[in-house]
């Protein structure tokens, strides 16, 4: 049957059109074994813009046990026609058919706002990252996305969940998901978010994972800072004795500026920064230690700082020691000036 004849019999003016369609759909085509006949009929229905009748026809061919049941083109066409003409049928077709183009049909379903159907398609074809993104971006259910990620246990799926949780301010949950994903790529955003919310316990766990994947001064420095914020000073001592790439002078200054003096003391002692250590010990009212550090620093500025602090604290014996060293340094400068003058 050629295209001109199809156009004539499917013309809306043909009083026998409905009878013809019914006969073709119910009997003639489902029993056909000729692929050319099937192709010509499907094309004729499409040309005549008969989407509902085309659905009836394709259901007979594809859903029932015909010679063309597994034909991928016909399965694609059935679902796509339903997306256009009768969305209520799409989910049933998705569940019943197995040989259509999952990635392409899934994207078309998303574009047609059939999000549950798209999720079902991607899940069926094990396109799990696409599936979780539909849950996160279109259905907007982090809870369902977490449940799905727990079921499939794929790193990239957990990574997508983690990024969404972080965007929504669910910092602790995001960190847990990043760890499950073994994803160290977002460490700058995680550090910033954890700092804003005070999630330092979680941040420590995350940064320990990150260190196994990358070597970054920022990571090691922030790990020390996080330890200090949760008062895990023993871990700081152990950490700085191991190979690391932390910027210890900067970390020490940051800890001092934020009044985390016990942690700063550990850092300044380790890097032998005696002037800063003396200042830190003054803040801790550990004046004997401050005098010892000032002696190692051996600068008039440090001696003066410790001296004035000892006087204020009525530690006069220690203040006297500092004063004597200031005098010694003054005389040393005078001797140097005289020597230069001569």
């Amino acid at each position: 049957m050629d295209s001109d004849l199809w156009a004539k019999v499917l013309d809306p003016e043909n009083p026998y059109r409905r009878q013809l369609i019914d006969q073709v759909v119910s009997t003639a085509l489902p029993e056909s074994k000729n692929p050319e006949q099937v192709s010509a009929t499907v094309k004729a229905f499409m040309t005549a813009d008969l989407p509902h009748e085309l659905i009836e026809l394709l259901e007979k061919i594809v859903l029932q046990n015909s010679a063309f049941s597994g034909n991928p083109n016909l399965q694609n066409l059935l679902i796509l026609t339903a997306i256009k003409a009768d969305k209520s049928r799409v989910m049933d077709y998705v569940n019943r058919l197995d040989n259509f183009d999952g990635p392409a049909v899934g994207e078309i379903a998303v574009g047609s706002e059939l999000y549950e159907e798209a999720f079902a398609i991607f899940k069926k074809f094990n396109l799990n990252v696409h599936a979780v993104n539909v849950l996160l971006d279109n259905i907007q259910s982090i809870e369902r996305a977490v449940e799905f990620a727990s079921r499939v246990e794929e790193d990239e799926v957990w990574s997508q969940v983690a990024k969404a949780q972080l965007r929504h301010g669910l910092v602790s949950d995001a960190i847990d998901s990043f760890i499950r994903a073994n994803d160290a790529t977002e460490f700058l955003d995680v550090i910033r978010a954890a700092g804003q919310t005070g999630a330092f316990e979680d941040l420590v766990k995350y940064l320990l994972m990150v260190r196994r994947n990358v070597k970054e001064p920022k990571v090691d420095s922030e790990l020390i800072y996080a330890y200090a914020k949760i008062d895990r000073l023993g871990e700081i001592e152990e950490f700085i004795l191991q190979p690391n790439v932390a910027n210890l002078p900067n970390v020490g200054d940051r800890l001092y500026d934020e009044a985390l003096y016990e942690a700063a003391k550990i850092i300044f002692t380790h890097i032998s920064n005696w002037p800063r250590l003396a200042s830190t010990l003054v803040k801790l009212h550990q004046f004997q230690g401050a005098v010892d550090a000032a002696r190692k620093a051996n600068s008039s500025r440090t001696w003066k700082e410790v001296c004035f602090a000892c006087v204020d604290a009525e530690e006069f014996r220690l203040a006297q020691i500092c004063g004597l060293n200031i005098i010694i340094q003054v005389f040393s400068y005078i001797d140097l000036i005289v020597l230069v003058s001569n």
Side-chain angles (χ1 to χ4, degrees), residues 215-250:
K215 290 188 181 298
E216 280 282 346
K218 177 74 170 176
V219 172
D220 285 7
S221 299
E222 291 293 336
L223 180 56
I224 294 172
Y225 178 76
Y227 277 140
K229 291 293 286 185
I230 57 179
D231 202 32
R232 287 166 61 174
L233 303 181
E235 279 88 340
I236 294 177
E237 292 177 329
E238 291 179 11
F239 181 80
I240 61 178
L241 291 175
Q242 300 170 2
N244 68 84
V245 292
N247 190 330
L248 293 178
N250 285 357

Side-chain angles (χ1 to χ4, degrees), residues 59-71:
E59 280 190 345
K60 288 285 187 178
I61 300 172
V62 173
L63 297 183
Q64 296 183 13
N65 198 18
S66 77
F68 304 99
S69 297
N71 185 284

Side-chain angles (χ1 to χ4, degrees), residues 95-239:
N95 291 330
R96 295 175 65 179
L97 301 176
D98 297 303
N99 205 27
F100 58 93
D101 187 341
V105 175
E107 292 297 338
I108 293 170
V110 170
S112 299
E113 299 184 358
L114 294 175
Y115 302 131
E116 292 292 349
E117 289 82 354
F119 172 66
I121 291 169
F122 291 137
K123 183 172 67 170
K124 183 168 192 168
F125 284 83
N126 293 318
L127 300 168
N128 294 324
V129 174
H130 288 74
V132 80
N133 283 337
V134 170
L135 292 176
L136 293 168
D137 299 336
N138 305 115
I139 297 174
Q140 298 185 346
S141 174
I142 291 179
E143 183 179 351
R144 285 181 62 185
V146 170
E147 179 186 349
F148 179 69
S150 299
R151 190 160 62 248
V152 300
E153 284 295 346
E154 292 182 8
D155 287 352
E156 185 58 29
V157 172
W158 275 117
S159 183
Q160 296 302 312
V161 172
K163 292 171 186 175
Q165 289 170 323
L166 198 63
R167 288 195 299 271
H168 286 81
L170 303 172
V171 179
S172 294
D173 291 339
I175 287 174
D176 180 62
S177 297
F178 276 124
I179 291 172
R180 295 180 75 161
N182 196 36
D183 182 356
T185 60
E186 306 295 320
F187 68 86
L188 291 176
D189 289 338
V190 173
I191 289 169
R192 181 167 52 251
Q196 292 170 349
T197 59
F200 293 106
E201 288 277 3
D202 297 306
L203 181 60
V204 164
K205 293 185 290 185
Y206 173 73
L207 293 176
L208 289 173
M209 179 276 291
V210 173
R211 290 191 79 239
R212 295 194 294 268
N213 295 279
V214 299
K215 290 188 181 298
E216 280 282 346
K218 177 74 170 176
V219 172
D220 285 7
S221 299
E222 291 293 336
L223 180 56
I224 294 172
Y225 178 76
Y227 277 140
K229 291 293 286 185
I230 57 179
D231 202 32
R232 287 166 61 174
L233 303 181
E235 279 88 340
I236 294 177
E237 292 177 329
E238 291 179 11
F239 181 80

Side-chain angles (χ1 to χ4, degrees), residues 3-77:
S3 58
D4 291 337
L5 182 56
W6 270 118
K8 184 175 181 180
V9 298
L10 293 178
D11 190 304
E13 300 299 321
N14 178 12
Y16 304 104
R17 186 177 77 153
R18 184 67 253 180
Q19 291 177 273
L20 173 70
I21 291 172
D22 290 343
Q23 286 297 315
V24 169
V25 169
S26 63
T27 306
L29 208 62
E31 294 179 357
S32 174
K33 301 285 194 280
N34 188 328
E36 293 182 1
Q37 290 179 346
V38 173
S39 176
T41 306
V42 167
K43 184 178 179 181
F45 275 50
M46 293 173 65
T47 302
D49 193 22
L50 298 169
H52 296 285
E53 290 78 1
L54 180 59
I55 288 174
E56 290 182 59
L57 175 65
L58 291 171
E59 280 190 345
K60 288 285 187 178
I61 300 172
V62 173
L63 297 183
Q64 296 183 13
N65 198 18
S66 77
F68 304 99
S69 297
N71 185 284
N73 292 328
L74 295 179
Q75 290 195 9
N76 287 336
L77 184 58

Side-chain angles (χ1 to χ4, degrees), residues 227-284:
Y227 277 140
K229 291 293 286 185
I230 57 179
D231 202 32
R232 287 166 61 174
L233 303 181
E235 279 88 340
I236 294 177
E237 292 177 329
E238 291 179 11
F239 181 80
I240 61 178
L241 291 175
Q242 300 170 2
N244 68 84
V245 292
N247 190 330
L248 293 178
N250 285 357
V251 174
D253 289 341
R254 182 182 180 190
L255 296 174
Y256 181 90
D257 292 342
E258 296 193 22
L260 296 168
Y261 299 123
E262 289 289 356
K265 171 185 170 183
I266 295 171
I267 300 299
F268 292 137
T269 301
H270 181 74
I271 63 176
S272 302
N273 189 335
W274 308 121
R276 292 296 273 164
L277 178 60
S279 300
T280 302
L281 293 172
V282 163
K283 294 292 187 181
L284 291 170

